[in-house]
């Protein structure tokens, strides 16, 4: 029964999430990238919990969040930041 299922995340999962966001800050020093990575971790956690409800089986908590956060970090760092910097240099406000 769905009402009886109680998803549990270990303490290590939350520690890893916070380390991932903290390491993103150390690497990029850009608030935009850190916010994107934090939101992608939350979206990955939400998708994991959604799959847990659909499949009614225990799932590992890290793979979806980790994959999503790493993709977002690289896209944000190498595409979004240079674009935002160029807009800033040319004083263009969107």
């Amino acid at each position: 029964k769905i009402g009886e299922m109680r998803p549990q995340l270990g303490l290590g999962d939350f520690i890893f999430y916070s380390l991932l966001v903290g390491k993103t800050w150390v690497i990029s020093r850009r608030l935009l990238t850190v916010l994107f990575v934090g939101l992608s971790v939350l979206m990955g956690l939400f998708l994991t919990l959604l799959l847990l409800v659909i499949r009614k089986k225990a799932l590992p908590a890290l793979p979806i969040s980790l994959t999503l956060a790493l993709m977002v970090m690289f896209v944000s760092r190498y595409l979004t930041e240079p674009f935002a910097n160029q807009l800033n240099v040319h004083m263009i406000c969107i």
Side-chain angles (χ1 to χ4, degrees), residues 56-74:
K56 298 178 180 123
K57 271 173 80 170
L59 296 170
L62 289 177
I64 296 174
S65 295
L66 176 66
T67 304
L68 198 58
L70 288 176
M71 288 186 337
V72 166
M73 182 173 76
F74 287 114

Side-chain angles (χ1 to χ4, degrees), residues 33-81:
T33 301
V34 174
L35 288 175
F36 283 161
V37 167
L39 286 174
S40 66
V41 165
L42 290 174
M43 285 176 28
L45 183 59
F46 176 75
L47 286 173
T48 302
L49 291 174
L50 187 66
L51 285 173
L52 177 73
V53 169
I54 292 171
R55 292 185 60 193
K56 298 178 180 123
K57 271 173 80 170
L59 296 170
L62 289 177
I64 296 174
S65 295
L66 176 66
T67 304
L68 198 58
L70 288 176
M71 288 186 337
V72 166
M73 182 173 76
F74 287 114
V75 166
S76 177
R77 184 160 185 218
Y78 294 113
L79 295 177
T80 308
E81 285 181 16

